[in-house]
Every structure is written in C-alpha cells, then in structure tokens.
Amino acid sequence: MARIPCNGVELEYEWVGPPEGAPLLLVPGHEGQLIWWHEGLCEQLVAHGFRLLRYDNRDSGLSTH
C-alpha cells in the first residue's frame, strides 16, 4: 500500500493486478476503507484482466484526518 497527498491529507491506496491490466477504480461508500472490497471479488476482477485501484476515504482506515 502507498499514500498520496491530497488537499492537506494523505490518502492510503493500493493497486491490485498486472500493470498492463485495464484500470478499474473501486470507490467505497462514505467512510469506506480499501479492505471493504472482498478479496474474492478483487481476485475475480484481476482474473478478468483488470488492474484495480482501491483506497481508504479521508478520515478512515489508514488515510489521515
């Protein structure tokens, strides 16, 4: 996992899947975390050729307040 600065906070994010895969952004609901996405779902999407980007919303998970 990694962090990126954004408007005074740092958002935790993670890429899953091969670099050449079609990018797919997984957007969690309010106060959602990247771990909200079930691993089985992520594995199936990667198996179908996607590269997933998932993240922790501001003030949740490992993202800062």
Side-chain angles (χ1 to χ4, degrees):
M1 289 186 266
R3 283 192 178 179
I4 187 167
C6 181
N7 295 325
V9 298
E10 291 185 349
L11 299 178
E12 187 76 16
Y13 71 94
E14 177 181 49
W15 281 105
V16 180
E20 68 278 0
L24 180 62
L25 175 62
L26 299 178
V27 180
H30 179 67
E31 298 181 359
Q33 298 180 32
L34 64 87
I35 60 171
W36 184 83
W37 301 100
H38 191 276
E39 286 301 318
L41 171 65
C42 293
E43 290 170 3
Q44 288 179 9
L45 290 169
V46 168
H48 281 89
F50 290 101
R51 182 174 188 217
L52 310 178
L53 176 59
R54 54 189 182 170
Y55 64 95
D56 288 342
N57 276 322
R58 177 186 181 134
D59 298 337
S60 65
L62 297 176
S63 291
T64 61
H65 302 182

